[in-house]
Amino acid sequence: MLKDVLGKEGEKVFLLGNEAIARGAIESGIDIVSCYPGTPSSEITDTLAQACSHLRGKMDYFVEYSTNEKVAFETGIGASLAGKRALVTMKHVGLNVAADSLFSFAYVGARGGFVVVTADDPTMHSSQNEQDNRWYGKSAKLPVLEPSGVNEAKELVKVAFDLSERFGLPMIFRTYTRLSHSSGIVDLGEIPEKRFEKVGWERRPETDVVLPAHARKLKLVLLEKLEKIENHFDKFEFNWIEDGDGDTGIIACGLSYSYVKEAIENLRSKNDFDSPPVLKLSSMHPVPEKLIERFTDGLKKVLVVEEVDPFIEMHVKALDVEVLGKLSGDMPMNYEYNVPVVEMGIARVFGLEPSRDYEAIMNRELASIAPPRPPVLCPGCPHTATFYAIKKAGGEVLPSDIGCYTLGINKPLEAVDTTICMGASAGVANGLSYFVDGKIVATIGDSTFFHAGMPPLANAVYNNLNYTLIIMDNSTTGMTGHQPHPGTGIRACGEGRRVSLEDVVKGLGVEFVEVVNSYNVRKLIESIRRAIEHDGVAVVISRHPCAILWTRERKRKGIEVRAFEVAENCTVCMKCITDFTCPAIFVDDGKVGIDAALCVGCAVCASICPEKAIKPKGVGR
Ligand code: SF4
Ligand code: SF4
């Protein structure tokens, strides 16, 4: 909670991992935070955005929801080069977008502290892949830190800023879903006093311009910095060795350290088993080789417990010790870890009996849980109306994008044929339009369009391609918690200037541009038909606020939200179920009904019912 995040020095408060990171940034005296929201990272910047007005005049900092992660990263670079502290946050795949800047900024080096938080998503709870961003550290030659708990997350952010300035290196701070979204007790430190102040600009082209002659020298400087920080990590206070018995040790990385500790306690309750030696690691790259050698000296085997990829395991393999982990098959290669997974792995390696029969428990739990319910778009979601209209208008080839609207894949809409990454609906439509026989109608959200949809649309205009792009404009970034974007005209901490989607699209050279209210299904179908018939790239902006925000806004203004109901003249043709879908509509005992508690009164079902049997509650009975 914000009041806890803003608590006083010396207090102990219960915070979400992401809130702890936000508090760490505040205690670090950050000057700016920039991000593109992405689960599981979003609450970091959301918290800092809420906190900034409370801290204004005491600890000033800027907050920016950037158009995409590369822009966020570069905003942070600008601040760092001006000697200011920048926190940049994103989900793991966001770092792919920012990677171009990341690799070059590694050569330039940080001036003011620069920390990029990347939130990995093992098991892909809300992501298109399971990606381990420690590899970015190795590949870009940058340090990677990974906390082992919520309190440590806060402390490690402060350390990351200090190290960034001390070694002149941008720091990668890796978290992941279970850490970002778990809660723990946090010891609050001091919030520094700091006012906004402009600084003079000092030209340093020899470091800040990465033309080849400079870059060749800068690479050597980067390697030197990396060696120095590796030496530092060999004695780093967030890495430590815990003595134990036996000749098999455990290397526990980041949050896995907490799992390992709990798993050992569980195993000791069931087995005659002394705790093995444990190396707790929070610096992932450069790998602290001397520390690992000290730990493995005298051990015959070592089990590595780490999230996602066998990153440390592969490094330790070079040492003179048998290494167990993902590659040896002793720990699962895929999906996220937890205490049972880790306990079963340790039990296997040490020949112990797990404290519980986890497999039986999991099978029992699986058998007892309710049948799986696929996630659905919300009642009254404007995207549902748009997908319905696309199918009715004759859309046949349907590339889509990243956002709530990916749920349009489900029956009965089945209006999503491809989803690759941000902006790829328009990009894939480019390629499809060269070869595929069929009416291509691509869909993309408003925030996603600003993020990565503009370049592929410019490409379509430039290459005279022929497809329809529907920009589903619900005036927010819906999936990550309703953050604003340039099309909303709202900034993280106040008013901004609205960037008009239609002006941008026209400015890119698209000749067919129409804007339609998503809830006006008849007009939307007509507009999409015209767009499909248009010779060349055509854009339809289907616009209606996200149903959640729309309902919240009407309630705030005291406007009655009127539910709809099914009248007696319903012929049970089932069109509202088989062609359309809304979670508020149900079938009970062969009759169609509407759940008034869920219905937001959008009237779209009424407009698609051939019998005009759906009416506002209390009308037409
Ligand atoms: S579409 Fe209309 S008539 Fe058909 S089942 Fe639904 S409410 Fe009844
Ligand atoms: S009016 Fe119809 S489509 Fe809209 S929320 Fe209610 S039941 Fe769903």
Side-chain angles (χ1 to χ4, degrees):
M1 286 173 73
L2 187 62
K3 110 175 152 26
D4 296 325
V5 173
L6 293 174
K8 290 198 177 65
E9 183 184 3
E11 282 180 24
K12 282 185 188 299
V13 293
F14 200 58
L15 296 184
L16 201 65
N18 279 345
E19 290 173 335
I21 292 170
R23 172 72 189 206
I26 292 169
E27 290 182 15
S28 303
I30 51 161
D31 295 288
I32 191 163
V33 53
S34 53
C35 84
Y36 185 79
T39 311
S41 71
S42 305
E43 297 88 359
I44 304 170
T45 301
D46 291 351
T47 303
L48 287 164
Q50 289 167 27
C52 76
S53 56
H54 295 268
L55 291 170
R56 179 99 345 129
K58 292 175 244 154
M59 212 301 275
D60 290 336
Y61 59 91
F62 293 102
V63 186
E64 175 180 305
Y65 288 110
S66 311
T67 41
N68 67 30
E69 294 85 356
K70 184 173 187 293
V71 176
F73 197 96
E74 289 159 1
T75 299
I77 291 178
S80 175
L81 293 183
K84 300 291 183 179
R85 286 192 158 184
L87 182 81
V88 183
T89 74
M90 58 194 63
K91 69 182 291 173
H92 61 306
V93 287
L95 203 53
N96 303 334
V97 179
D100 206 8
S101 315
L102 172 88
F103 277 70
S104 293
F105 187 45
Y107 279 41
V108 171
R111 209 158 286 145
F114 182 103
V115 178
V116 55
V117 178
T118 162
D120 288 6
D121 186 18
T123 305
M124 300 155 277
H125 295 286
S126 56
S127 308
Q128 62 268 47
N129 69 26
E130 192 176 61
Q131 178 178 310
D132 187 332
N133 277 359
R134 290 177 295 177
W135 296 109
Y136 271 114
K138 183 154 185 65
S139 192
K141 300 178 177 52
L142 288 178
V144 182
L145 296 178
E146 187 176 313
S148 66
V150 173
N151 190 51
E152 191 174 285
K154 189 210 73 163
E155 292 301 321
L156 209 53
V157 170
K158 294 198 282 185
V159 171
F161 275 107
D162 290 343
L163 292 179
S164 174
E165 283 165 5
R166 181 161 151 202
F167 292 94
L169 284 167
M171 305 291 292
I172 299 175
F173 190 98
R174 183 199 189 212
T175 174
Y176 28 84
T177 312
R178 202 56 56 173
L179 184 58
S180 285
H181 289 167
S182 61
S183 299
I185 293 174
V186 173
D187 300 312
L188 299 184
E190 187 193 359
I191 298 178
E193 295 256 327
K194 186 177 68 65
R195 305 275 180 284
F196 285 128
E197 54 168 26
K198 294 266 183 188
V199 291
W201 174 242
E202 191 186 331
R203 288 188 75 238
R204 295 184 226 199
E206 63 289 348
T207 57
D208 299 354
V209 182
V210 281
L211 51 78
H214 294 167
R216 280 181 215 117
K217 292 181 196 148
L218 290 171
K219 173 153 188 197
L220 302 180
V221 175
L222 174 60
L223 292 174
E224 266 174 42
K225 289 178 184 175
L226 207 59
E227 195 182 328
K228 280 187 192 151
I229 204 162
E230 182 183 334
N231 288 334
H232 179 80
F233 284 160
D234 281 323
K235 303 176 280 308
F236 190 39
E237 70 266 35
F238 289 87
N239 298 332
W240 62 75
I241 293 172
E242 291 172 9
D243 292 334
D245 287 318
D247 56 12
T248 302
I250 301 175
I251 299 180
C253 305
L255 186 61
S256 296
Y257 170 71
S258 308
Y259 301 150
V260 166
K261 295 296 281 181
E262 198 173 330
I264 290 173
E265 281 314 303
N266 292 345
L267 289 166
R268 280 166 56 77
S269 69
K270 184 88 179 179
N271 301 270
D272 182 16
F273 167 58
D274 290 324
S275 297
V278 174
L279 168 60
K280 181 263 192 192
L281 272 190
S282 276
S283 69
M284 297 293 133
H285 187 263
V287 176
E289 286 180 7
K290 289 192 202 87
L291 174 67
I292 293 176
E293 275 170 8
R294 263 202 318 279
F295 176 67
T296 56
D297 189 27
L299 294 178
K300 280 201 183 126
K301 289 186 203 169
V302 66
L303 171 69
V304 181
V305 185
E306 57 190 325
E307 286 284 8
V308 186
D309 286 347
F311 182 83
I312 295 292
E313 187 180 346
M314 285 173 80
H315 282 84
V316 179
K317 261 187 155 339
L319 303 176
D320 187 21
V321 61
E322 187 183 348
V323 182
L324 308 173
K326 291 168 185 279
L327 294 171
S328 67
D330 291 286
M331 296 298 298
M333 183 61 93
N334 298 313
Y335 312 136
E336 70 179 345
Y337 286 0
N338 52 32
V339 174
V341 167
V342 171
E343 189 182 326
M344 285 190 284
I346 297 175
R348 239 185 328 268
V349 168
F350 287 81
L352 304 169
E353 198 184 330
S355 62
R356 294 184 190 98
D357 186 352
Y358 287 114
E359 272 159 26
I361 292 170
M362 281 189 285
N363 287 341
R364 259 202 320 274
E365 281 172 357
L366 277 176
S368 66
I369 55 178
R373 264 187 237 164
V376 290
L377 292 162
C378 301
C381 175
H383 300 331
T384 309
T386 308
F387 283 132
Y388 175 85
I390 290 169
K391 295 300 283 277
K392 291 288 167 198
E396 294 167 334
V397 183
L398 306 169
S400 191
D401 227 292
I402 305 286
C404 319
Y405 47 89
T406 311
L407 297 172
I409 187 177
N410 294 325
K411 284 181 189 296
L413 298 169
E414 294 179 309
V416 170
D417 292 349
T418 70
T419 301
I420 309 292
C421 62
M422 297 288 279
S425 62
V428 170
N430 285 340
L432 290 170
S433 69
Y434 282 109
F435 303 107
V436 171
D437 197 15
K439 291 163 183 160
I440 301 172
V441 182
T443 44
I444 191 166
D446 42 343
S447 185
T448 311
F449 178 74
F450 282 113
H451 177 289
M454 292 187 285
L457 186 61
N459 186 71
V461 172
Y462 166 56
N463 286 300
N464 286 324
L465 301 179
N466 190 352
Y467 66 85
T468 297
L469 179 68
I470 314 282
I471 304 178
M472 305 166 97
D473 178 7
N474 64 359
S475 306
T476 191
T477 315
M479 193 164 69
T480 48
H482 299 118
Q483 293 85 359
H485 60 70
T488 66
I490 298 160
R491 297 170 64 221
C493 297
E495 289 292 304
R497 274 184 61 191
R498 183 175 162 267
V499 178
S500 155
L501 266 178
E502 42 274 49
D503 287 353
V504 169
V505 172
K506 283 179 197 156
L508 289 176
V510 178
E511 286 164 358
F512 183 106
V513 185
E514 290 189 359
V515 183
V516 189
N517 181 340
S518 315
Y519 285 168
N520 192 333
V521 175
R522 188 182 51 77
K523 271 198 171 164
L524 194 52
I525 295 171
E526 285 166 9
S527 175
I528 297 171
R529 275 200 188 121
R530 280 195 296 278
I532 291 172
E533 280 157 21
H534 176 78
D535 187 18
V537 67
V539 170
V540 175
I541 300 172
S542 175
R543 176 172 290 154
H544 192 282
C546 164
I548 297 172
L549 297 183
W550 184 56
T551 305
R552 203 179 284 162
E553 181 68 7
R554 281 178 299 160
K555 285 187 176 159
R556 199 179 56 78
K557 288 181 177 159
I559 299 169
E560 186 193 358
V561 176
R562 197 163 196 193
F564 278 58
E565 64 183 352
V566 180
E568 298 299 334
N569 58 324
C570 165
T571 57
V572 201
C573 71
M574 290 294 186
K575 286 245 178 300
C576 56
I577 305 281
T578 55
D579 291 17
F580 182 70
T581 181
C582 172
I585 304 177
F586 62 87
V587 183
D588 187 21
D589 207 13
K591 288 183 86 175
V592 176
I594 291 177
D595 184 340
L598 293 179
C599 176
V600 301
C602 71
V604 173
C605 56
S607 72
I608 64 120
C609 170
E611 305 299 328
K612 303 277 169 257
I614 302 180
K615 300 183 164 71
K617 214 166 168 43
V619 176
R621 278 210 173 257

